[in-house]
Amino acid sequence: MKGKVHVFDHPLIQHKLGMMRDKNTGTKDFRELLDEISMLMVFETTRNLPTEEVNIETPLGWTKTRMLSGMPIGIIPILRAGLGMVDGIQRLIPNAKVGHIGLYRDPDTLQPVEYYCKLPADSEHRYLYVLDPMLATGGSASAAISFIKQRNCTNISLVSIIAAPEGIERVQKEHPDVNIYVAACDEKLNEHGYIVPGLGDAGDRLFGTK
Ligand code: PRP
Ligand code: URA
């Protein structure tokens, strides 16, 4: 069975994504927009987290309310661009532990090259969200998910901002158990593996390296 793909069509998210795509948007605004979109996406990505009924004493008396139960959350940005999604998510889930996976895409082969991996020690007991704004060929995301699965983790979702059909197809094929959350599914990849129309190189725009 294929993992589900959720596309966020909320007007605020689409508006901010439009600003991110604009080639005239500078590093500061790009960083803030990515942060804000990531925070807005958390509502939907965490929609099915389990809750339990608890008794709470308000200043006026006792009431039953629902609070999160079950496993805690881990977020795993893929370096570099995934780092831009961490703060927005942690603002709403401050107890989330953060793992890091360093991967870059070889510009010639488009194959992911790993250079770093440090995950929370108890990752297999957490709901894990892999973060990367761009899902292009899907090679990086799929490799990252494979590393995480080697640590016996099973509850994994992928959160991206823009996806190409090729990337979605690859992750669904190689990791059918993983749900994919995106703000937009674009038309295609170009001959260099860039998403069209996309937003260009997310890492460079986020960190101002070009
Ligand atoms: C970008 C992006 C993804 C990857 C997507 O990273 O942030 O990690 O490319 O491409 P794929 O789906 O074809 O694997 P990049 O390799 O440019 O590294 P960087 O974030 O360090 O710039
Ligand atoms: N990585 C990016 O940053 N952008 C793309 O369009 C594809 C891969």
Side-chain angles (χ1 to χ4, degrees):
M1 203 182 85
K2 282 182 179 176
K4 287 202 189 101
V5 181
H6 306 255
V7 182
F8 293 82
D9 57 1
H10 193 285
L12 270 180
I13 293 180
Q14 292 305 316
H15 180 84
K16 288 175 188 293
L17 178 57
M19 292 168 74
M20 279 185 81
R21 289 182 189 274
D22 188 335
K23 68 176 187 182
N24 295 313
T25 297
T27 298
K28 177 177 179 289
D29 288 340
F30 188 90
R31 190 170 57 234
E32 288 173 2
L33 290 161
L34 178 57
D35 177 80
E36 289 165 2
I37 292 178
S38 304
M39 186 168 70
L40 292 170
M41 285 173 78
V42 173
F43 277 105
E44 203 55 37
T45 57
T46 54
R47 176 175 291 282
N48 294 318
L49 288 181
T51 58
E52 64 185 359
E53 195 172 76
V54 294
N55 291 314
I56 295 282
E57 189 177 13
T58 77
L60 300 179
W62 286 91
T63 185
K64 290 187 194 316
T65 184
R66 300 206 70 81
M67 298 187 87
L68 288 173
S69 64
M71 298 194 298
I73 288 173
I75 53 180
I76 304 180
I78 300 179
L79 307 180
R80 291 176 296 167
L83 288 174
M85 302 175 72
V86 171
D87 285 356
I89 294 176
Q90 272 200 312
R91 221 170 292 137
L92 291 188
I93 312 176
N95 291 335
K97 287 200 175 163
V98 186
H100 295 87
I101 294 185
L103 287 172
Y104 71 88
R105 208 171 60 149
D106 183 288
D108 298 320
T109 65
L110 300 185
Q111 292 306 307
V113 182
E114 185 203 356
Y115 59 90
Y116 189 75
C117 182
K118 179 81 179 172
L119 303 181
D122 59 352
S123 288
E124 72 271 29
H125 302 302
R126 290 179 177 269
Y127 294 108
L128 298 177
Y129 296 91
V130 176
L131 313 176
D132 194 327
M134 308 307 278
L135 179 60
T137 64
S140 303
S142 188
I145 294 166
S146 296
F147 293 141
I148 296 167
K149 285 185 173 173
Q150 283 167 16
R151 313 280 178 98
N152 299 322
C153 301
T154 49
N155 291 284
I156 304 168
S157 299
L158 172 65
V159 187
S160 289
I161 305 294
I162 301 182
E166 293 88 335
I168 288 178
E169 198 177 312
R170 179 158 177 181
V171 173
Q172 283 188 320
K173 185 160 167 262
E174 296 179 5
H175 301 288
D177 53 310
V178 169
N179 286 332
I180 303 172
Y181 298 89
V182 297
C185 186
D186 275 12
E187 198 185 319
K188 60 179 182 184
L189 295 177
N190 70 12
E191 65 276 22
H192 304 294
Y194 275 84
I195 301 174
V196 180
L199 50 70
D201 188 304
D204 283 338
R205 293 195 65 186
L206 182 64
F207 295 108
T209 39
K210 223 173 228 174

